[in-house]
Amino acid sequence: QEATADRLAFWEKQANELYWDKPFTKTLDWSDAPFAKWFSDGQLNVAFNCLDRHVLAGHGDRIALLFEGEPGDTATYTYDQLTTAVKKAANAFAKLGVGQGDVVAIYLPMIPEAVIAMLAVARLGAIHTVIFGGFSADALATRIGDADAKLVVTADGGFRKGKATALKPAVDDALSDGKCP
């Protein structure tokens, strides 16, 4: 019993390092065992905790994301720059009708925009599903349909194993002719 209390105190302390829109009052709800609910009466925004709180704490000029692509291209984002990019993407997704509880499929190469898209979706309270860039149009259509995705975020292409690969044609094919259930 004492060990359990110590573990709960540890996780409560960790959770209190985050910013909570609505603070939790119960660390663990085990009333429906074996299903556990952690911090179930609290509410937080993951994107805010990943970015905004660092900017507000005066760390906006620190590096948040350092990217190096396969062909040697690089990009560096400070917390302030990444927060701005995520807010712009979230606003664009919202204008396209994405809101809380919606699903957004992300079919991007390993580029900073993939991180930006995931955080933008989280900022809106929506759900993202990342789809591996090597999937065929049929496999992509199945995943988009199964997730009931409202939006697909993609790029023209990207690099994989030193080769340029097209992504957008697979999305176009997946969304054509009623392939998505």
Side-chain angles (χ1 to χ4, degrees), residues 140-171:
L140 183 57
T142 299
R143 283 158 179 81
I144 293 167
D146 287 349
D148 195 24
K150 187 169 195 171
L151 178 70
V152 179
V153 180
T154 193
D156 290 338
F159 288 93
R160 179 149 173 82
K161 296 183 180 177
K163 295 181 183 177
T165 58
L167 295 176
K168 179 79 167 54
V171 173

Side-chain angles (χ1 to χ4, degrees), residues 124-145:
L124 295 173
I127 303 157
H128 72 266
T129 178
V130 176
I131 302 173
F132 171 63
F135 283 145
S136 69
D138 289 336
L140 183 57
T142 299
R143 283 158 179 81
I144 293 167

